[in-house]
Amino acid sequence: MSKLTLSMAEKVIAAAFAKGAELKLKPLTVAVLDAGGHLVALSRQDGSSIMRPQIASGKAYGALAVGTGTRWLNANAETRPHFVQALNGASGGAIVPVPGGVLIREGDGGEVLGAVGISGDTSDNDEAAAVAGIEAIGKTSDCG
Amino acid sequence: MSKLTLSMAEKVIAAAFAKGAELKLKPLTVAVLDAGGHLVALSRQDGSSIMRPQIASGKAYGALAVGTGTRWLNANAETRPHFVQALNGASGGAIVPVPGGVLIREGDGGEVLGAVGISGDTSDNDEAAAVAGIEAIGKTSDCG
Amino acid sequence: MSKLTLSMAEKVIAAAFAKGAELKLKPLTVAVLDAGGHLVALSRQDGSSIMRPQIASGKAYGALAVGTGTRWLNANAETRPHFVQALNGASGGAIVPVPGGVLIREGDGGEVLGAVGISGDTSDNDEAAAVAGIEAIGKTSDCG
Amino acid sequence: MSKLTLSMAEKVIAAAFAKGAELKLKPLTVAVLDAGGHLVALSRQDGSSIMRPQIASGKAYGALAVGTGTRWLNANAETRPHFVQALNGASGGAIVPVPGGVLIREGDGGEVLGAVGISGDTSDNDEAAAVAGIEAIGKTSDCG
């Protein structure tokens, strides 16, 4: 059901970790979800805290949920918090609405292949690592 | 499975209660969790109200979830409440983001051995008792 | 709301662990709940697996839920499984219907002061340790 | 916080997939959890269905929950189904009690480092792949 292969997900994770090393980020957890919102691969670096898998997955899921990166959800959380809270409830708590959840698109505005969610450092740095991961497979990032 | 033994947890609780007595705090509940977020020991003093076990455990779990004491979560709850609300949802309500959840570290910035969560008095006093508990076993407190 | 003090709960746990050592049982987790079903104290011995706190608490809660020890629930699970399943649902999964959840009574058929739940070895051995714990505070066990 | 490093988890997954290829198994999903029950790494092969991540994780979590491989839970599900159902409820549905959840131990009966859960083929084959993964890092399998 997914065009996002495990081989692609592994490359995304490796490139995100490389970006984290380059920027000297804290230990990261990276989740790669297919277009249906299901995990393809997840890796948690040594020292990344215990809820990072849910946070990383929740960012990626949030991006898929609304069809754009979680930067959009983060902005909405300020302008209309009731909407973001409702999304949280409707998803059974599966959405984490801060930057770091980035859609993987086939070209600008193109088909959604999946999403990357990263947690561990600041939300901005998490997002930068996600973008680096998506670049590594030649796809387009949608940060929201 | 844990480096935080029951014997250590019992000492943490005894020292936290001693601090509570010294500061004339209200009846406390102390929860000690291992690095994976699972209870090692919990004690509720006579007169400590019925939900204190969940609150104390929730503070300790919150600290482990994000890898630092709950003072950090408390600050985040003011600057980006949607993030803290999302953590609550993602954890099935297992996180209580106010001071009083303190990581037990092996030295400054060292390995996380577990966490102490205390509830019963003000959050600041709860935290002071947790720090006293951790000092009693010669470990380092991370309040966030 | 409870006549079961923390001091009594600590004695129950110590005696249950002593019985476990005497019988050479596997590492145990002991939960002591007050009459309202709320934790007074819990201790998990080193090596007792991660879900033992929920299992031990769930046995004690099950005993309080139906007003007799979990041996009764275990028997009911065979004769009318739909009833025990419904209890599980109604309690949000808080009940574990196997032996090892024992009511603490003030004399035969007397007032319920709380319950002890133990998990770690066979259900029969868990129960034997719970009974030893209750004897140590001079109260009466109701195993169901 | 965990003795099960990401590097070890990656080796477990690679060896499990190699075993799957050798035995010509269906596409597998492999989850590797640390001793506290938190994901270290997960990989889902192309064509492995959408709930495999939860099933694989649920097998690994079940093994950690009771301190032995899920073959033990599978046997219990036949002899005392109410116990296994209760575990499901108590864990919020996080346990999948069929073979294929295997503890990673440091020697026979030794310390629990984490668990591997595999889903995709028959439960017996899933388990065989998990054992192969654990052998690849020189640790001991506990299948239950």
Side-chain angles (χ1 to χ4, degrees):
Chain A
M1 72 155 289
S2 164
K3 293 173 177 169
L4 192 77
T5 63
L6 174 56
S7 162
M8 289 161 72
E10 287 168 346
K11 280 177 194 136
V12 168
I13 293 175
F17 283 162
K19 190 70 178 181
E22 178 197 325
L23 300 179
K24 298 186 193 305
L25 304 186
K26 292 184 189 165
L28 302 176
T29 297
V30 181
V32 182
L33 275 57
D34 65 22
H38 304 283
L39 269 180
V40 177
L42 181 147
S43 291
R44 177 161 63 109
Q45 289 189 306
D46 303 343
S48 192
S49 61
I50 62 174
M51 249 193 75
R52 298 291 168 190
Q54 288 97 318
I55 301 173
S57 297
K59 290 183 182 185
Y61 198 83
L64 290 161
V66 293
T68 190
T70 47
R71 192 165 283 279
W72 184 87
L73 280 172
N74 191 59
N76 268 262
E78 290 174 13
T79 53
R80 39 178 198 159
H82 53 292
F83 173 60
V84 174
Q85 285 168 23
L87 285 183
N88 239 304
S91 68
I95 282 175
V96 178
V98 298
V102 182
L103 286 187
I104 306 169
R105 286 192 183 272
E106 193 70 83
D108 255 358
E111 188 189 5
V112 174
L113 302 178
V116 183
I118 300 190
S119 179
D121 205 280
T122 66
S123 291
D124 285 348
N125 284 336
D126 293 342
E127 185 188 80
V131 169
I134 294 169
E135 274 171 7
I137 55 167
K139 302 301 177 189
T140 302
S141 295
D142 174 350
C143 293
Chain B
M1 66 160 289
S2 163
K3 289 174 178 167
L4 192 77
T5 63
L6 174 55
S7 161
M8 289 161 71
E10 287 168 346
K11 281 178 191 134
V12 168
I13 292 174
F17 283 161
K19 190 70 179 181
E22 178 197 325
L23 299 178
K24 299 186 192 305
L25 305 186
K26 292 182 189 167
L28 302 177
T29 297
V30 182
V32 182
L33 274 58
D34 66 22
H38 304 282
L39 269 180
V40 178
L42 180 145
S43 291
R44 177 162 63 108
Q45 290 187 305
D46 303 342
S48 193
S49 59
I50 61 175
M51 247 192 75
R52 298 291 169 191
Q54 288 94 322
I55 301 173
S57 298
K59 290 183 181 184
Y61 198 83
L64 290 162
V66 293
T68 191
T70 46
R71 193 164 281 279
W72 184 88
L73 280 172
N74 191 60
N76 268 261
E78 290 175 13
T79 53
R80 41 177 196 160
H82 54 291
F83 173 60
V84 174
Q85 286 168 19
L87 285 184
N88 238 303
S91 67
I95 282 176
V96 178
V98 298
V102 182
L103 286 187
I104 306 169
R105 285 192 184 272
E106 193 71 85
D108 256 357
E111 188 188 5
V112 174
L113 302 178
V116 184
I118 301 190
S119 179
D121 204 279
T122 66
S123 291
D124 284 349
N125 284 337
D126 292 342
E127 184 188 82
V131 168
I134 294 169
E135 274 172 6
I137 56 167
K139 302 302 177 187
T140 302
S141 295
D142 175 349
C143 294
Chain C
M1 71 156 289
S2 164
K3 293 171 178 170
L4 192 77
T5 63
L6 174 56
S7 162
M8 289 162 72
E10 287 168 346
K11 281 177 192 135
V12 168
I13 292 174
F17 283 161
K19 190 69 178 182
E22 179 197 324
L23 299 178
K24 298 185 193 304
L25 304 186
K26 292 184 190 165
L28 301 176
T29 297
V30 182
V32 183
L33 274 57
D34 66 22
H38 304 283
L39 269 180
V40 177
L42 181 147
S43 291
R44 177 161 63 110
Q45 290 188 305
D46 302 343
S48 193
S49 61
I50 62 175
M51 249 192 76
R52 299 291 170 192
Q54 288 96 319
I55 301 174
S57 298
K59 290 183 181 184
Y61 198 83
L64 290 161
V66 294
T68 190
T70 47
R71 193 164 283 279
W72 184 87
L73 279 172
N74 191 60
N76 267 263
E78 290 174 14
T79 54
R80 39 179 197 159
H82 52 291
F83 173 60
V84 174
Q85 284 167 23
L87 285 183
N88 239 304
S91 68
I95 283 175
V96 178
V98 297
V102 182
L103 286 187
I104 306 169
R105 286 192 183 271
E106 194 70 84
D108 255 357
E111 188 190 5
V112 174
L113 302 178
V116 184
I118 301 190
S119 179
D121 204 280
T122 66
S123 292
D124 286 348
N125 285 337
D126 293 341
E127 185 188 81
V131 168
I134 294 169
E135 274 172 6
I137 55 167
K139 303 301 178 188
T140 302
S141 295
D142 174 349
C143 293
Chain D
M1 64 159 291
S2 162
K3 289 173 176 166
L4 192 77
T5 62
L6 174 56
S7 162
M8 289 162 72
E10 286 168 346
K11 281 177 192 135
V12 168
I13 292 174
F17 284 161
K19 190 69 177 182
E22 178 198 325
L23 299 178
K24 298 185 194 304
L25 305 186
K26 293 181 189 166
L28 302 177
T29 297
V30 181
V32 182
L33 275 57
D34 66 22
H38 303 282
L39 269 180
V40 177
L42 181 146
S43 291
R44 177 162 63 109
Q45 290 187 305
D46 303 343
S48 193
S49 59
I50 62 175
M51 246 192 75
R52 298 291 169 191
Q54 287 94 323
I55 301 173
S57 298
K59 291 183 181 184
Y61 198 83
L64 290 163
V66 294
T68 191
T70 46
R71 193 163 281 280
W72 184 88
L73 280 171
N74 191 60
N76 268 262
E78 289 175 13
T79 54
R80 41 177 196 160
H82 53 291
F83 174 61
V84 175
Q85 285 167 19
L87 285 184
N88 239 303
S91 67
I95 283 175
V96 178
V98 299
V102 182
L103 287 186
I104 305 170
R105 285 192 184 271
E106 193 70 85
D108 257 357
E111 188 189 5
V112 174
L113 302 178
V116 184
I118 300 190
S119 180
D121 204 281
T122 66
S123 291
D124 285 349
N125 284 337
D126 292 342
E127 184 188 82
V131 168
I134 294 169
E135 273 171 7
I137 56 167
K139 303 301 177 187
T140 302
S141 296
D142 175 348
C143 294

